[in-house]
Amino acid sequence: MEPELLSYVPTNTTYALSVCNHPSVPVSVAIASFIETQHNAIQVLTCSNDTLNLTCEVEHTYPPTKLMWSPDTSGSTPPLLASSGDSLRIWDYTSDLSLKSRLLVEDKKDSPPPLTSLDWNSTNFNLIGTSSIDTTCTIWDLEKETARAQLIAHDKEVYDIAFAKGVNVFSTAGGDGSVRQFDLRDLQDSAILYERQDFTPCLRLAWSKHDPNYLATIIMDTASVIIIDLRQLSSPVVQLLGHNQYVNAMAWSPSSGKHILTGGDDHQALIWEVDQAPSVSPSLVYTSDSEINNVSWSALHPDIVSFASNNEIKVLKV
């Protein structure tokens, strides 16, 4: 790997982070504190003069479970940031973050269940999906600020949601140990893409936007990442086995259909080329001083990745 590009030491442990995709914004990373109270914060860090500087900060109720900048790399829409937690929040970004909207399902406004994750549709920027511990997921219409659809997705908590390439297909990962696929054109039916015989929860998932046959998922308390090939669902096409402690996060390359970045408790961030199956070794290794809690790969700058560790934010060229 090329030398470190930038580093920043936040005041508190960081979990959620996302690299901005808007062409009007210099290389910037949104990060969020992970404090077990109502008093948390989102910060935006910007690359300037070979340093990573704090541009702005805004309060956030409870730790955000995910941050995600709008996937619009063309600049046809303003720079927006989404956060999930006790609700879905959409933030405008200029030189500061300002709350644009806070979205809650109407019948749950008095006691909203926590949201576990979100994903922004990369084809229709008006759509965001959220997952919740109450077994449901919701597809939001951002322009109307209403729920376009809500459905019971799993028998237990829904821990993650991810759109496939295109508008209509999305998948969810659940506490019942399954990964399921849905289609907005017919939400009455779903397909089980992967299911654990021991019902160990599936915590995270991510679609390759370049090769829609590939979907990756992280299983709770495991040191591997499961790669699913939709053309052969009988078993995973490959397991990525390079970590020696629990894997926490992953992100597919925005410019390649075969490369995926993973980060774990073993202080390692690894980049893999998944078409080397059945035997896969990481093609690139980065070692941090502490556990890597989350990773982000810039869609606008495909040579830029960012990691959140317990005590530092790293922005690197790969």
Side-chain angles (χ1 to χ4, degrees):
M1 176 175 282
E2 293 185 18
E4 280 184 17
L5 212 147
L6 299 170
S7 179
Y8 179 82
V9 179
T11 305
N12 299 292
T13 298
T14 299
Y15 172 69
L17 89 163
S18 179
V19 183
C20 187
N21 299 308
H22 202 277
S24 71
V25 177
V27 176
S28 299
V29 183
I31 66 172
S33 62
F34 186 83
I35 310 170
E36 294 183 20
T37 71
Q38 291 190 36
H39 305 291
N40 280 262
I42 298 173
Q43 298 176 324
V44 177
L45 313 175
T46 300
C47 172
S48 176
N49 298 322
D50 294 329
T51 60
L52 200 57
N53 300 307
L54 176 61
T55 301
C56 65
E57 180 174 343
V58 65
E59 292 184 359
H60 194 281
T61 307
Y62 298 108
T65 53
K66 187 169 182 178
L67 294 176
M68 187 175 183
W69 292 96
S70 167
D72 179 14
T73 59
S74 69
S76 61
T77 57
L80 298 173
L81 178 70
S83 65
S84 54
D86 60 331
S87 60
L88 173 64
R89 290 176 171 86
I90 308 299
W91 307 84
D92 279 310
Y93 179 67
T94 50
S95 57
D96 293 300
L97 286 171
S98 59
L99 186 63
K100 176 178 171 63
S101 55
R102 181 176 180 227
L103 305 181
L104 287 160
V105 177
E106 187 65 36
D107 62 359
K108 297 178 180 177
K109 286 187 175 180
D110 292 334
S111 56
L115 301 179
T116 54
S117 190
L118 68 92
D119 194 37
W120 209 314
N121 192 290
S122 60
T123 301
N124 182 346
F125 309 134
N126 190 46
L127 297 181
I128 285 185
T130 56
S131 53
S132 173
I133 64 168
D134 70 349
T135 76
T136 68
C137 60
T138 304
I139 308 299
W140 297 93
D141 183 315
L142 296 185
E143 183 178 355
K144 297 179 180 178
E145 298 187 354
T146 58
R148 172 173 166 177
Q150 186 180 47
L151 64 148
I152 296 174
H154 289 263
D155 299 326
K156 293 186 177 181
E157 301 92 338
V158 189
Y159 287 122
D160 205 1
I161 183 170
F163 284 102
K165 184 178 181 179
V167 174
N168 295 301
V169 176
F170 64 94
S171 286
T172 55
D176 56 7
S178 69
V179 173
R180 305 188 181 196
Q181 178 175 292
F182 299 87
D183 192 312
L184 285 172
R185 294 163 293 192
D186 182 11
L187 290 174
Q188 300 303 311
D189 295 313
S190 65
I192 296 177
L193 302 183
Y194 176 73
E195 192 167 32
R196 301 282 297 182
Q197 296 304 308
D198 59 3
F199 303 108
T200 306
C202 299
L203 291 185
R204 291 287 174 256
L205 75 161
W207 282 94
S208 168
K209 296 299 174 65
H210 286 268
D211 189 337
N213 292 306
Y214 283 119
L215 178 67
T217 186
I218 296 172
I219 311 303
M220 178 182 284
D221 296 344
T222 64
S224 64
V225 175
I226 303 293
I227 305 295
I228 303 163
D229 187 336
L230 270 63
R231 296 163 295 192
Q232 42 181 309
L233 290 177
S234 57
S235 61
V237 64
V238 68
Q239 292 190 57
L240 307 179
L241 300 171
H243 290 278
N244 53 51
Q245 293 186 46
Y246 297 159
V247 179
N248 297 320
M250 60 189 171
W252 286 95
S253 166
S255 59
S256 164
K258 306 298 184 183
H259 291 89
I260 189 169
L261 167 68
T262 60
D265 280 353
D266 58 356
H267 302 195
Q268 291 192 107
L270 308 176
I271 292 182
W272 311 75
E273 188 174 354
V274 300
D275 63 350
Q276 296 172 357
S279 177
V280 181
S281 298
S283 57
L284 186 149
V285 178
Y286 172 79
T287 302
S288 174
D289 292 333
S290 62
E291 295 90 345
I292 293 177
N293 301 323
N294 216 330
V295 300
S296 179
W297 202 327
S298 171
L300 183 64
H301 310 283
D303 60 338
I304 296 290
V305 297
S306 184
F307 313 133
S309 64
N310 279 352
N311 54 14
E312 202 164 17
I313 305 299
K314 301 280 190 181
V315 177
L316 307 174
K317 277 192 173 181
V318 296

